[in-house]
Amino acid sequence: MNTLKQGDVVPNFTAKDDQGNIISLSDYKGKKLIVFFYPKASTPGCTVEACNLRDNYKELQAQGYELLGVSADSEKRQTNFKNKYEFPFPLLADEDKSVINTFGVWGPKKFMGREYDGIHRMTFLINEKGVIDRVIEKVKTKDHANQILA
């Protein structure tokens, strides 16, 4: 896994969001951006994490942040996830894993003794110049907004 690190410039990326809109990193030029990667929409940990960010969205915005959630789920699955939990931020349907690979969050994982390749739950805080200020590798799903704001 060749994961982007603090100080790296994020290469431009483009993907469809839950509404079918084309979203690019360049859309956020001059803004602070949080890009959070999660394994699968509507699963327990991912739901807790995204709901925590939703519940603290106003505070994150007050700190100048925009948010983008990313998983390899289909547009339809992302739409259902967003609508069910009323997320105020876009969810990218990165089915071809182009954004996931840009950030380097796809790789070997272990779960219940099984090894497989998948998305690592990680969050990247990107500054107004498109440079990574911070990477959160050990995401606390129930307290993620506080990790970001700390």
Coordinates of all heavy atoms in Angstrom, one line a residue, residues 101-132:
N101 N -7.2 4.3 -5.0 CA -5.8 4.0 -5.4 C -5.0 5.3 -5.4 O -3.8 5.3 -5.0 CB -5.7 3.3 -6.7 CG -6.2 1.9 -6.6 OD1 -6.0 1.2 -5.6 ND2 -6.9 1.4 -7.7
T102 N -5.6 6.5 -5.7 CA -4.9 7.7 -5.7 C -4.3 8.0 -4.2 O -3.2 8.4 -4.0 CB -5.8 8.9 -6.1 OG1 -6.1 8.7 -7.5 CG2 -5.1 10.3 -5.9
F103 N -5.2 7.7 -3.3 CA -4.8 7.9 -1.8 C -4.0 6.7 -1.3 O -3.4 6.9 -0.2 CB -6.1 8.2 -1.0 CG -6.6 9.6 -1.1 CD1 -7.4 10.0 -2.2 CD2 -6.2 10.6 -0.2 CE1 -7.8 11.3 -2.3 CE2 -6.7 11.9 -0.3 CZ -7.5 12.2 -1.4
G104 N -4.1 5.6 -1.9 CA -3.4 4.4 -1.5 C -4.0 3.8 -0.2 O -3.2 3.4 0.7
V105 N -5.3 3.7 -0.2 CA -6.0 3.1 1.0 C -6.5 1.7 0.7 O -7.2 1.1 1.5 CB -7.1 4.0 1.5 CG1 -6.5 5.3 2.0 CG2 -8.2 4.2 0.5
W106 N -6.1 1.1 -0.5 CA -6.5 -0.3 -0.8 C -5.4 -1.2 -0.5 O -4.3 -1.0 -0.9 CB -6.9 -0.4 -2.3 CG -7.4 -1.8 -2.7 CD1 -6.7 -2.8 -3.2 CD2 -8.7 -2.3 -2.6 NE1 -7.5 -3.9 -3.4 CE2 -8.7 -3.6 -3.1 CE3 -9.9 -1.7 -2.1 CZ2 -9.9 -4.4 -3.1 CZ3 -11.1 -2.5 -2.2 CH2 -11.0 -3.8 -2.7
G107 N -5.6 -2.3 0.2 CA -4.5 -3.2 0.5 C -5.0 -4.3 1.4 O -6.2 -4.5 1.7
P108 N -4.0 -5.2 1.9 CA -4.3 -6.3 2.7 C -4.9 -6.0 4.0 O -4.5 -5.0 4.7 CB -3.0 -7.1 2.8 CG -2.0 -6.1 2.3 CD -2.6 -5.0 1.6
K109 N -6.0 -6.7 4.4 CA -6.6 -6.5 5.7 C -6.8 -7.9 6.4 O -6.8 -8.9 5.7 CB -8.0 -5.8 5.5 CG -7.9 -4.5 4.9 CD -9.3 -4.0 4.6 CE -10.1 -3.6 5.9 NZ -11.3 -2.9 5.7
K110 N -7.0 -7.8 7.7 CA -7.4 -9.0 8.4 C -8.7 -8.8 9.2 O -8.8 -7.7 9.8 CB -6.3 -9.4 9.4 CG -5.1 -10.1 8.8 CD -4.2 -10.6 9.9 CE -2.9 -11.2 9.3 NZ -1.9 -11.4 10.2
F111 N -9.5 -9.7 9.1 CA -10.8 -9.6 9.9 C -11.2 -11.1 10.3 O -11.4 -11.9 9.4 CB -11.9 -9.0 9.1 CG -13.2 -8.8 9.8 CD1 -13.2 -7.9 10.9 CD2 -14.3 -9.5 9.5 CE1 -14.4 -7.7 11.6 CE2 -15.5 -9.3 10.2 CZ -15.5 -8.4 11.2
M112 N -11.3 -11.3 11.6 CA -11.7 -12.6 12.1 C -10.9 -13.7 11.5 O -11.4 -14.7 11.1 CB -13.2 -12.8 11.9 CG -14.1 -11.8 12.6 SD -15.8 -12.0 12.3 CE -16.2 -13.4 13.2
G113 N -9.6 -13.5 11.5 CA -8.6 -14.5 11.0 C -8.5 -14.6 9.5 O -7.7 -15.4 9.1
R114 N -9.3 -13.9 8.8 CA -9.3 -14.0 7.3 C -8.5 -12.9 6.8 O -8.6 -11.7 7.2 CB -10.8 -13.9 6.8 CG -11.0 -14.6 5.5 CD -12.5 -14.5 5.1 NE -12.6 -13.6 4.1 CZ -13.4 -12.5 4.1 NH1 -14.1 -12.2 5.2 NH2 -13.5 -11.7 3.1
E115 N -7.7 -13.1 5.8 CA -6.9 -12.1 5.1 C -7.5 -11.8 3.7 O -7.9 -12.8 3.0 CB -5.5 -12.5 4.9 CG -4.6 -12.1 6.1 CD -3.2 -12.1 5.8 OE1 -2.7 -11.4 4.9 OE2 -2.4 -12.7 6.6
Y116 N -7.7 -10.6 3.4 CA -8.2 -10.2 2.1 C -7.8 -8.8 1.7 O -7.3 -8.0 2.6 CB -9.8 -10.3 2.1 CG -10.4 -9.4 3.1 CD1 -10.9 -8.2 2.8 CD2 -10.5 -9.8 4.5 CE1 -11.5 -7.3 3.7 CE2 -11.0 -9.0 5.4 CZ -11.5 -7.7 5.1 OH -12.1 -6.9 6.0
D117 N -8.0 -8.3 0.5 CA -7.8 -7.0 0.1 C -9.0 -6.1 0.3 O -10.1 -6.6 -0.1 CB -7.3 -6.9 -1.3 CG -5.8 -7.3 -1.5 OD1 -5.1 -7.3 -0.4 OD2 -5.4 -7.5 -2.6
G118 N -8.9 -4.9 0.8 CA -10.0 -4.1 0.9 C -9.6 -2.6 1.2 O -8.4 -2.3 1.2
I119 N -10.6 -1.8 1.5 CA -10.4 -0.4 1.8 C -10.0 -0.2 3.3 O -10.7 -0.7 4.1 CB -11.6 0.4 1.5 CG1 -12.0 0.3 0.0 CG2 -11.4 1.9 1.9 CD1 -13.3 1.0 -0.4
H120 N -9.0 0.5 3.5 CA -8.6 0.8 4.9 C -9.3 2.0 5.3 O -9.3 3.0 4.6 CB -7.1 1.0 5.0 CG -6.3 -0.3 4.9 ND1 -5.7 -0.9 6.0 CD2 -6.1 -1.1 3.8 CE1 -5.2 -2.0 5.6 NE2 -5.4 -2.2 4.3
R121 N -9.9 2.0 6.5 CA -10.7 3.1 7.0 C -9.6 4.2 7.4 O -9.0 4.1 8.5 CB -11.5 2.7 8.2 CG -12.4 3.8 8.8 CD -13.1 3.3 10.1 NE -13.8 2.1 9.9 CZ -15.0 1.9 9.4 NH1 -15.7 2.9 9.0 NH2 -15.5 0.7 9.4
M122 N -9.5 5.2 6.6 CA -8.6 6.3 6.9 C -9.2 7.7 6.5 O -10.1 7.7 5.7 CB -7.3 6.1 6.1 CG -6.5 4.9 6.5 SD -5.1 4.6 5.4 CE -3.9 5.8 6.1
T123 N -8.7 8.7 7.1 CA -9.2 10.1 6.8 C -8.0 11.0 6.5 O -7.0 10.9 7.2 CB -10.0 10.6 8.0 OG1 -11.1 9.7 8.2 CG2 -10.5 12.0 7.8
F124 N -8.2 11.8 5.5 CA -7.1 12.8 5.1 C -7.7 14.2 5.2 O -8.8 14.5 4.7 CB -6.8 12.5 3.6 CG -6.1 11.2 3.4 CD1 -6.9 10.0 3.3 CD2 -4.8 11.0 3.3 CE1 -6.4 8.8 3.1 CE2 -4.2 9.7 3.2 CZ -5.0 8.6 3.0
L125 N -6.9 15.0 5.9 CA -7.2 16.5 6.0 C -6.4 17.2 5.1 O -5.1 17.2 5.2 CB -7.0 16.9 7.5 CG -8.1 16.6 8.5 CD1 -8.4 15.1 8.6 CD2 -7.8 17.2 9.8
I126 N -7.0 17.9 4.1 CA -6.3 18.5 3.0 C -6.5 20.0 3.2 O -7.6 20.5 3.4 CB -6.8 18.0 1.7 CG1 -6.7 16.5 1.6 CG2 -6.1 18.7 0.5 CD1 -7.5 15.9 0.5
N127 N -5.4 20.8 3.0 CA -5.5 22.2 3.2 C -5.9 22.9 1.9 O -6.1 22.2 0.8 CB -4.2 22.8 3.8 CG -3.0 22.7 2.8 OD1 -3.2 22.7 1.6 ND2 -1.8 22.8 3.4
E128 N -6.0 24.2 1.9 CA -6.5 25.0 0.8 C -5.6 24.9 -0.5 O -6.0 25.2 -1.6 CB -6.6 26.5 1.2 CG -7.5 26.8 2.3 CD -6.9 26.7 3.7 OE1 -5.9 26.1 3.9 OE2 -7.6 27.2 4.7
K129 N -4.4 24.5 -0.3 CA -3.4 24.3 -1.4 C -3.4 22.9 -1.9 O -2.5 22.6 -2.8 CB -2.0 24.8 -0.9 CG -2.0 26.3 -0.6 CD -0.6 26.7 -0.2 CE -0.6 28.2 0.1 NZ 0.2 28.5 1.3
G130 N -4.2 22.0 -1.4 CA -4.2 20.6 -1.9 C -3.2 19.8 -1.3 O -2.8 18.7 -1.8
V131 N -2.6 20.2 -0.2 CA -1.6 19.4 0.5 C -2.2 18.8 1.8 O -3.0 19.4 2.5 CB -0.4 20.4 0.9 CG1 0.7 19.6 1.7 CG2 0.2 21.0 -0.3
I132 N -1.7 17.5 2.0 CA -2.3 16.8 3.2 C -1.6 17.4 4.5 O -0.4 17.4 4.6 CB -2.0 15.3 3.1 CG1 -2.7 14.7 1.9 CG2 -2.4 14.6 4.4 CD1 -2.4 13.3 1.6

